[in-house]
Amino acid sequence: MSPSKTGKPAQRRTQEERSATTRENVINAAIDCIVEEGLHNTTAARIAARSGVTWGAIVHQFGDKDSVLLAVIERNAEVFLNYLTTALQQSDPTLPERMHALIDVTWRYINEPAAFAFNELVIYNRVSKNPRMMQQQQEMTNRQAEIMWDKFFSEFDVTPAALENARNYTLATLLGLSILRLMSPRPHAYLNEIATLKKFAVQLLMQPDTTAPSRTARAR
């Protein structure tokens, strides 16, 4: 065992630590490959080359290529959850400020490499009709978004219908802006568009429950 810089023998990493490092390298390599080379070029050979790990070792760790891509989906969910959790802890306890914080952090996340890779996989899975990954994506994105939006606004008098409407409108708008950003020859911050989204999203949250019977109707 070779000595460390302190003169003491260096500690050998455990098998669990080595496996975790390998897994991390492979997931990051897959994300980078999708972002920089496109999903159609994200082959087993390219993932292995970028990660510095043999494909045999990757198979031993993950099972197959689809399992690597599923790990990318899981990583995307982890990144988004960490962003949202931090934003919730740091945001002011008012409805407008909560919405502003949620939109800001979602916009930042959407422009992360993991999110870009996730969107590529959404398109790929719809074409290839891979039921395993389609189900995983749907469960993670829908369930996680619903849980986190509920946490952001559970202490306010927001109806379920208004919450769903604001959530769908916000995510659709931010995803649309991210596509425009990819198409733009120069980076665009879309500050005015996001400011408008914040105002309108707050209004959507404050909409009354139109499904509830009115006082006149209840009196009849």
Side-chain angles (χ1 to χ4, degrees):
M1 184 179 297
S2 60
S4 65
K5 292 181 180 179
T6 61
K8 298 179 181 179
Q11 294 292 325
R12 290 186 180 275
R13 292 190 305 164
T14 65
Q15 180 61 42
E16 183 178 352
E17 290 172 334
R18 291 195 295 271
S19 295
T21 299
T22 297
R23 184 176 181 85
E24 187 73 11
N25 290 341
V26 171
I27 292 172
N28 289 335
I31 292 173
D32 291 342
C33 196
I34 293 171
V35 172
E36 297 173 13
E37 303 182 36
L39 186 58
H40 62 288
N41 289 323
T42 306
T43 62
R46 291 300 299 140
I47 294 174
R50 276 179 168 267
S51 64
V53 181
T54 66
W55 183 247
I58 294 175
V59 169
H60 178 74
Q61 180 76 242
F62 291 87
D64 54 19
K65 180 184 172 183
D66 277 357
S67 295
V68 174
L69 298 181
L70 280 172
V72 171
I73 295 172
E74 292 172 353
R75 170 57 52 80
N76 173 78
E78 292 171 4
V79 170
F80 194 25
L81 181 60
N82 289 337
Y83 273 13
L84 290 171
T85 301
T86 301
L88 178 59
Q89 293 170 347
Q90 297 177 349
S91 63
D92 293 333
T94 65
L95 190 148
E97 289 301 323
R98 284 281 173 85
M99 176 55 80
H100 294 177
L102 182 53
I103 289 175
D104 283 339
V105 75
T106 303
W107 176 240
R108 187 176 58 176
Y109 148 77
I110 282 176
N111 291 284
E112 284 283 340
F116 180 84
F118 178 84
N119 292 335
E120 287 279 298
L121 286 168
V122 169
I123 298 172
Y124 167 77
N125 292 333
R126 285 185 61 84
V127 174
S128 65
K129 299 188 184 303
N130 187 320
R132 182 184 175 199
M133 278 196 281
M134 288 177 68
Q135 181 179 5
Q136 185 87 338
Q137 283 177 319
Q138 183 178 17
E139 287 180 353
M140 282 193 171
T141 53
N142 292 347
R143 183 177 67 247
Q144 192 173 48
E146 290 175 1
I147 290 173
M148 289 309 300
W149 275 67
D150 284 342
K151 285 185 177 181
F152 266 79
F153 303 108
S154 60
E155 62 194 87
F156 305 105
D157 188 20
V158 179
T159 67
L163 189 63
E164 182 179 11
N165 194 17
R167 182 175 65 245
N168 291 340
Y169 179 79
T170 297
L171 294 176
T173 301
L174 293 178
L175 284 171
L177 290 177
S178 70
I179 294 173
L180 287 178
R181 196 175 197 181
L182 289 174
M183 296 169 60
S184 175
R186 290 180 294 179
H188 198 308
Y190 296 107
L191 297 179
N192 291 335
E193 291 84 351
I194 291 177
T196 302
L197 169 62
K198 289 177 179 178
K199 292 179 182 179
F200 192 52
V202 170
Q203 293 175 9
L204 288 175
L205 282 182
M206 303 174 96
Q207 286 183 342
D209 187 358
T210 56
T211 62
S214 64
R215 292 183 178 178
T216 304
R218 287 198 299 266
R220 291 177 181 175

